[in-house]
Amino acid sequence: MDPDPWVIDAEEAGWVCRVVFAEPPFGPYDYRVPDELLPQVKLGCRLAVPLGRGGRQMMAWCVGLAHRGSAPPAPAAGANTSGSNSAGANSAGANAEASPTAADSNPPIRSVGNSAATSGLPDPLAWNVSAVDVARLRPIASVIDATALLSADLLPLAGWLSQYYLTPLGSVIETIVPAGVRAGAGTRPISYYAIAPAYQEQWSEMRLSAQQRQVLTYLARFDVPVPAHQILRQSEVGASSLATLHKRGLLTVDVRRMHAQEFVIAAEEREQPLALSPQQADCLAQVLAAVAAGNPQPILLHGVTGSGKTEVYLQAIQDVVARGRQAIVLVPEISLTPQTRQRFRRRFQRIAVLHSQLTDPQRHWYWQQIAQGKVDVVIGTRSAIFAPTARLGLVIIDEEHDGSFKQDKAPRYHARDVAAQRCRLAGVPLVLGSATPAIETYQAARTGQHTYLQLPDRVESRPLPAVTVIDMRVADSRGPGGRTLSRQLQQAMQMALRDDGQIILLLNRRGYSTCIQCPGCGEVLKCRDCDIALTHHRDLDLAICHFCDYQIPAPNHCPACHQDGIKFSGLGTQKLEAEVRRLFPTESLLRMDTDTMRKPGAHEAALQAFREGQAKILVGTQMIAKGLDFPNVTLVGVVNADTGLHMPDFRARERVFGLVTQVAGRTGRGPKGGRVIVQTLNPDDPAIVAAATHDYLRFAEEELRLRERVGYPPFRRLARVVVRSPSENLAREATDTLALAIQARFPTDPATAESFLLLGPAPAPVSKLRGYFRFHVLVISPPEFPLGQEIHTATESLNLPDQVQWIVDVDAMDMM
């Protein structure tokens, strides 16, 4: 029981802060806040604190600020104090009691991460301040940030990310706050001067030079500090006058970092909202009702390709902005085309577009504009969900099924789940839009967890394109050039070009030949550091690993048996391009894959050229499958629909269905109509059959039945533990140790034990990557089981060799 406040000695009372580090030791740790620094300390700012016996100064994030003792003095305005026991605003660590939150659909989880230890408490923002001994705490050394880089409303979100995705809180914060913002990229120090309060009335009677008097006369006109360059320009004096006045104490100086350049987006011609179909109007009305009510229940907007989902988004955002609120729109990187950006800029004046091509100064400038409320609409990729919108009113995720919304490094978050949590915290709606919703999202709508809205028809009642499936097993289907383009696809291309239409050909494999093999001994040329076959790139005459970029000259004989005549087989976009140029030598062609789109702006330039008709045929990987609206495209050819279909991943069929459906939606958007030809060796596969008939519901229902039968998400929770080491034996033994420890946490009651499943240990499908041998374990549990927390509890005391590294991927999307 805590002592009464009057019992605490004066020296034991005072302001304390809790900090975390972005690298080991992650913390949290408690420090005393000196009175002179208290006005500057805010939640979410960085502090310099002493660490260790030598007192080495380290940069730390302030995640808790509270007074220990009775009758605390009022902190400075904006200090964002935590309160004495606020679980939503403080942090956990030494001297703290575990304070897990109430169980819900997202149970509290704490970090496991790598072999490095973490605090291990379920809630990183729980802090029992009354247990802190202020007298024994070291004081913080200094305050690094004049204003908090992490806004107060994002701190609880950071705490949730830390728990759920098993990542130290400091690392999470540095994921939220971009490196360019932390470094102050694109800014320079500017000195602001003001007349010192003690001399406001006296300076006019003092002995001063003419130049000094000019400075003070000019400053007396202002109630706020004035930048030095403005004073020097307007007063026509030298810098020495300012320095002398400051040295004499007549002037105060405040050094601020200011942006050296502004990155204002050029204005676009304004566009009026389009007339909505009855279906669109009904969907918009339900979204606006949720906005008005502050209902955070996610809304699934399921609309076929070309059904006008974007117009619903735009008009919903227009209502939000009219209410004085801000909106965040997330799209996959490959969908963030100039066409998408332009459409939003034509509707909204104050907009920020966040994507991977931004420089650090640009990203910092936009971040500050958003934080200051000068931006109404934020459009961006996955990390834009962390935009510091103080007046958030709506979040929209377009193409919510896309795999790029899941991050592949710690914290391994999914932007869809982070958005749902942020919307819950802010009390605002989340709209999830897609023509092919993720199976998990559809199941949530099917069971009433999400509101389900449908747009089953295209705008202006345009028909969905007819889809023809070509069975490439049948010899008659093969074109004169072999198995690359079927006879039917070649004929369709001739017709489309004759009618002045454009063509998109999808092949989700880059390079020229995807397999290099000796016909004598059967040796397959593999990467030196990965268990991956090398791909032949004919333009460079290199064999390249697409995982680690290892490359060697393309061989002309077998490296194992030295037999001449090594065979290059398999089909990539380079070979497809060569075949199309051979068949249609007079037609202009563009190829879009990561090999041709390396230069900044190359993606935008290629799409613009295709939009303007400079190219009639567009060949590419999945980057051409989404976010494109070209009314003159009358034919889409899926050259190999089987790519990825037989991957060792239970979501493989879902990805193939989504990709084929999405690319099919690129045609038939104009008055000429369109058609789709799908080439496959598996014409009877349910994913191919459903995609050919544009029947998402049929595919989803069948996929759900299968997953329920085998016990996969969305009916169970899944975490993937991946272990790697330069030593294959060490990796295997460590995986065995982890698997046994995790399995020991499973219930032994026969009535519930069958709901838990541990698959493995086994070599990962990619068993060696970048010189490391890889093993993995899939851990499956009922939805209500606190899976991540139990994995942490099972493994926190394990002592694995230094050569072993391991991660836990909660809600894993990548099984490779």
Side-chain angles (χ1 to χ4, degrees), residues 521-533:
C521 69
E523 175 77 8
V524 174
L525 196 63
K526 288 190 173 184
C527 174
R528 176 192 63 192
D529 299 319
C530 307
D531 183 29
I532 296 293

Side-chain angles (χ1 to χ4, degrees), residues 203 259 291 378 411 417 454 470 514 575 667 684 735 750 804:
W203 69 266
H259 287 276
V291 170
V378 179
D417 298 325
Q454 282 187 286
I470 306 300
T514 57
K575 185 184 286 187
T667 188
D684 299 323
T735 311
V804 172

Side-chain angles (χ1 to χ4, degrees), residues 424-500:
R424 278 194 290 268
L425 292 169
V428 302
L430 168 64
V431 176
L432 305 170
S434 178
T436 56
I439 293 297
E440 291 86 350
T441 304
Y442 174 69
Q443 173 66 1
R446 188 171 173 254
T447 56
Q449 298 173 56
H450 294 359
T451 301
Y452 186 42
L453 306 180
Q454 282 187 286
L455 290 173
D457 302 314
R458 282 189 160 184
V459 294
E460 299 179 356
S461 300
R462 290 196 180 110
L464 288 165
V467 180
T468 302
V469 177
I470 306 300
D471 186 352
M472 297 297 285
R473 298 172 301 181
V474 180
D476 290 345
S477 297
R478 303 170 194 169
R483 297 175 64 93
T484 303
L485 298 176
S486 64
R487 192 181 307 275
Q488 295 93 324
L489 181 52
Q490 291 183 34
Q491 292 171 352
M493 291 175 68
Q494 291 168 354
M495 292 176 59
L497 293 169
R498 184 190 63 204
D499 296 336
D500 199 30

Side-chain angles (χ1 to χ4, degrees), residues 601-654:
H603 187 261
E604 298 182 7
L607 292 179
Q608 185 65 23
F610 190 65
R611 182 176 295 107
E612 293 173 354
Q614 297 177 30
K616 288 293 187 180
I617 304 172
L618 179 62
V619 172
T621 55
Q622 64 175 344
M623 66 171 60
I624 67 172
K626 303 168 187 175
L628 307 180
D629 188 358
F630 300 130
N632 198 41
V633 171
T634 59
L635 174 66
V636 165
V638 181
V639 176
N640 183 2
D642 307 323
T643 302
L645 189 61
H646 304 295
M647 301 287 280
D649 186 335
F650 70 92
R651 291 189 178 93
R653 182 173 282 137
E654 179 184 357

Side-chain angles (χ1 to χ4, degrees), residues 557-598:
H557 62 270
C558 176
C561 71
H562 305 290
Q563 176 179 320
D564 292 334
I566 196 164
K567 183 179 179 182
F568 294 81
S569 60
L571 178 63
T573 49
Q574 285 185 12
K575 185 184 286 187
L576 176 60
E577 177 189 12
E579 177 70 3
V580 174
R581 289 190 186 279
R582 185 185 67 80
L583 293 170
F584 302 95
T586 62
E587 300 295 344
S588 53
L589 181 148
L590 279 173
R591 190 180 99 233
M592 290 185 65
D593 52 32
T594 53
D595 297 319
T596 59
M597 300 290 110
R598 293 186 186 277

Side-chain angles (χ1 to χ4, degrees), residues 270 314 317-318 344-350 377:
R270 304 297 291 171
L314 290 167
I317 294 169
Q318 188 173 10
F344 277 85
R345 287 172 187 160
R346 285 179 173 175
R347 296 291 184 91
F348 305 103
Q349 185 174 358
R350 306 199 310 169
V377 184

Side-chain angles (χ1 to χ4, degrees), residues 638-756:
V638 181
V639 176
N640 183 2
D642 307 323
T643 302
L645 189 61
H646 304 295
M647 301 287 280
D649 186 335
F650 70 92
R651 291 189 178 93
R653 182 173 282 137
E654 179 184 357
R655 292 192 182 104
V656 169
F657 170 82
L659 187 61
V660 173
T661 302
Q662 290 287 338
V663 74
R666 298 314 103 201
T667 188
R669 290 172 172 253
K672 294 182 180 180
R675 62 182 298 200
V676 181
I677 292 182
V678 177
Q679 298 184 164
T680 177
L681 295 171
N682 297 273
D684 299 323
D685 188 274
I688 303 296
V689 172
T693 55
H694 306 284
D695 195 345
Y696 172 83
L697 296 179
R698 172 183 175 180
F699 170 77
E701 293 294 338
E702 187 169 337
E703 187 73 6
L704 283 168
R705 282 193 293 272
L706 175 63
R707 293 196 194 179
E708 186 173 26
R709 187 164 68 247
V710 297
Y712 277 153
F715 300 98
R716 307 279 176 86
R717 292 193 66 198
L718 182 147
R720 183 177 183 232
V721 181
V722 183
V723 181
R724 71 173 194 171
S725 173
S727 165
E728 185 174 9
N729 286 335
L730 280 179
R732 181 187 296 107
E733 292 167 2
T735 311
D736 290 342
T737 301
L738 286 164
L740 289 172
I742 293 168
Q743 194 163 30
R745 298 292 302 179
F746 285 177
T748 56
D749 180 8
T752 57
E754 62 181 16
S755 299
F756 293 81

